[in-house]
């Protein structure tokens, strides 16, 4: 048990996975001022049992003392609100005098209907960097605030203490580091919370790069930029790319590889950026390209501005002329989008050759203007997080369930990078989308599951499907599957490949996987094909 003179303030959240380190909490900690000495940060994952989380938080605070205020601040997001609600409920039952303060996007909008808001003492909507420390000072040292709901102040960025020193050595060694060179987004896509931003604001670039140098000097090598539009301001993008280029190890050096992830605007790739992107070697640069939909009518309906021709040209260039690993995003279930129009867009994107197509289903994020289409376009959403659309006027519930299964199988087979050669066989035809949908329907009827499928089970399933349903020669299918399976490094023996596998070393226990696992597999296949 922590002694009674423990910290007065605990900052906490439930991350989706251990590898995720909360940037928001570190901003709060860095900006606590004189209260920083009395503040600690505790992170959990949503896999932890609620009683364990509550017990650890109370143990961190220590036993209460008469007249001494204790505060727990929660970061609340769409992926953790259900579990966080139960943690708050248990805390309030066990120690009702603890002040619970909520912040984060999930509790910044539509507050009246949320149980977690009812349970909490205070809620800060919007930005918390300045408002949370101010609230804590009032609770600990001043008159008690009368307002339960506090509108967060949006401070000038140059007044914030940057949070990167709050990443521990353990974070640097084992976790993905989230960083941001800018906040906000000038675009107004109605399905995104960033549509509520007035504009994009950039941090002082010299100060930001100094912080990146500090992380690099401490050993950081994995950087994920959370900027919504990294390539919006080319001058800044160029300097940031050059920063990482200058720190790449020599070609013959071992270890110390850098991994950098950016989210980019798909139709904005000036030559100055192309020149630098082309200099990155394989396995370093990952670009997330939000296409979302190729339907012009759907784009206009949700206020998304996108030049499809430029988007296609930029993706073709990135695939052909760079070593960047490309994640292209599509969203199914947007207002008025049919299965047929989505299939057309999917086939268009697949033909451009991105390494991965990440398939999402529309979610009604609290506060987003997408809600205005609910009645005219028959949008029906799950009332529980993550508020996934269940049917629309253009897509019935059964079709949305089919697509959800499609998405799961697509991630296992296509995005995993394990079946690149076999995927070419599986998708060969006039419509890759409908060919894969047919496989997904068949696999669902055959297995009844979209989880727990081993690579060996998938090998056997694709062999069965391609031979029995497509009528392809067994030898042709086996050759593709064999090449993929051996290249993947797997060591078991699928039934479909009995007697064909070369002698291999015995399986070895693997250590922690690198963030670039998928990239390595995609790259290996591409080099073999070349």
């Amino acid at each position: 048990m922590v002694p009674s003179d423990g910290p007065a303030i605990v900052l906490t959240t439930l991350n989706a996975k251990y590898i995720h380190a909360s940037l928001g909490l570190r901003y709060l900690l860095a900006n606590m001022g004189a209260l920083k000495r009395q503040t600690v940060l505790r992170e959990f994952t949503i896999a932890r049992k609620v009683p364990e989380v509550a017990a650890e938080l109370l143990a961190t605070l220590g036993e209460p003392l008469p007249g001494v205020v204790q505060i727990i601040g929660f970061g609340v997001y769409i992926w953790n609100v259900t579990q966080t609600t139960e943690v708050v409920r248990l805390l309030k039952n066990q120690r009702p005098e603890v002040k619970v303060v909520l912040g984060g996007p999930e509790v910044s909008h539509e507050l009246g209907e949320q149980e977690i808001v009812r349970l909490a003492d205070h809620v800060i909507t919007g930005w918390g960097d300045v408002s949370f420390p101010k609230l804590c000072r009032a609770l600990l040292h001043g008159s008690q605030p009368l307002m339960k709901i506090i509108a967060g102040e949006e401070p000038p960025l140059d007044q914030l203490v940057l949070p990167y020193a709050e990443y521990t050595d353990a974070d640097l060694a084992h976790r993905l580091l989230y960083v941001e060179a800018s906040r906000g987004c000038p675009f107004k896509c109605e399905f995104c919370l960033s549509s509520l931003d007035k504009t994009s604001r950039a941090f002082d670039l010299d100060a930001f790069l100094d912080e990146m140098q500090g992380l690099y000097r401490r050993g950081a090598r994995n950087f994920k930029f959370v900027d919504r539009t990294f390539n919006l301001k080319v001058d800044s993008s160029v300097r940031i790319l050059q920063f990482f280029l200058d720190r790449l190890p020599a070609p013959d050096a071992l270890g110390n590889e850098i991994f950098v992830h950016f989210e980019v605007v798909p139709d904005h790739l000036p030559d100055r950026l192309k020149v630098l992107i082309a200099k990155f070697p394989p396995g370093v640069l990952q670009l997330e390209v939000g296409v979302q939909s190729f339907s012009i009518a759907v784009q206009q309906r949700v206020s998304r501005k996108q030049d499809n021709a430029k988007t296609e040209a930029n993706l073709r260039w990135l695939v052909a002329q760079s070593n960047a690993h490309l994640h292209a995003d599509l969203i199914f279930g947007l207002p008025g989008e049919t299965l047929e129009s989505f299939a057309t867009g999917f086939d268009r994107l697949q033909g451009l050759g991105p390494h991965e197509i990440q398939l999402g289903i529309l979610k009604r994020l609290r506060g987003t203007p997408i809600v205005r289409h609910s009645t005219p376009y028959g949008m029906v959403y799950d009332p529980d997080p993550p508020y996934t659309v269940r049917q629309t006027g253009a897509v019935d519930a059964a079709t949305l369930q089919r697509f959800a299964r499609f998405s799961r199988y697509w991630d296992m087979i296509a995005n995993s990078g394990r079946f690149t050669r076999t995927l070419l066989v599986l998708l060969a035809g006039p419509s890759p989308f409908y060919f894969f949908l047919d496989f997904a329907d068949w696999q669902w009827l055959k297995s009844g599951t979209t989880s727990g499928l081993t690579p060996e089970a998938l090998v056997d399933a694709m062999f069965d499907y391609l031979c029995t349903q497509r009528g392809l020669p067994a030898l042709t299918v086996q050759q593709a599957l064999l090449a993929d399976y051996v290249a993947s490094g797997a060591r078991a023996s699928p039934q479909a490949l009995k007697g064909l596998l070369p002698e291999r070393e015995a399986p070895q226990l693997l250590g922690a996987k690198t963030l670039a696992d998928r990239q390595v597999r995609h790259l290996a296949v591409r080099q073999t094909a070349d």
Side-chain angles (χ1 to χ4, degrees), residues 79-96:
W79 65 80
N80 71 13
V81 62
T82 299
Q83 295 92 332
T84 305
T85 300
E86 296 312 308
V87 172
V88 172
R89 190 191 312 279
L90 192 54
L91 287 172
K92 279 301 190 181
N93 284 337
Q94 294 182 359
R95 199 179 294 181

Side-chain angles (χ1 to χ4, degrees), residues 397-436:
T399 301
L400 268 157
Q401 291 170 354
R402 286 178 75 196
F403 181 81
R405 297 191 292 267
F406 179 112
S407 176
R408 288 286 295 125
Y409 294 135
W410 180 263
D411 202 46
M412 295 177 201
I413 292 172
N415 289 343
S416 70
R418 292 180 177 274
F419 299 103
T420 308
R421 297 168 183 83
T422 309
L423 190 67
L424 295 175
V425 179
L426 188 59
L427 301 183
S431 173
F433 179 87
Y434 282 111
F435 272 44
F436 196 88

Side-chain angles (χ1 to χ4, degrees), residues 124-245:
I124 297 174
T125 63
W127 306 110
D129 313 86
V130 169
S131 299
F132 180 74
K134 185 179 294 187
L135 172 61
C136 289
R137 286 193 293 271
L139 288 171
L140 292 172
H141 305 302
S143 58
Q144 298 299 297
L146 299 179
M147 299 291 291
K148 176 171 183 172
I149 309 300
I150 300 166
E153 300 175 35
E154 187 174 0
L157 296 185
D158 59 5
Q159 293 183 12
L160 292 180
V161 179
L162 296 181
Y164 305 109
E166 308 306 331
Y167 283 122
T168 66
D169 291 343
D171 293 333
L172 270 61
H174 303 296
R175 307 176 80 180
L176 189 62
L177 303 186
Y178 293 94
V179 302
E180 59 175 359
S182 64
R183 283 185 178 180
C185 179
F187 302 111
K188 302 299 178 186
C189 306
E190 295 177 14
F191 50 79
C192 180
L193 269 173
S194 295
S195 64
L196 305 179
D197 297 331
K198 295 178 181 179
T199 186
S200 175
R201 301 181 298 152
F203 287 89
D204 179 84
L205 193 53
D206 290 329
F208 173 76
L209 291 178
D210 284 345
E211 294 288 333
M212 295 304 98
Q213 175 62 16
L215 288 176
Y216 180 84
R217 189 182 299 115
R218 292 174 58 200
R221 295 297 182 268
N222 297 314
F223 300 82
K224 183 167 184 177
F225 280 68
V226 299
D227 307 54
R228 303 299 296 177
T229 52
F230 168 74
N231 56 331
L232 183 65
K233 296 181 179 179
V234 176
D235 287 344
S236 297
S237 305
V238 163
R239 285 191 61 191
I240 292 170
L241 289 173
Q242 189 63 55
F243 173 89
F244 289 105
L245 278 172

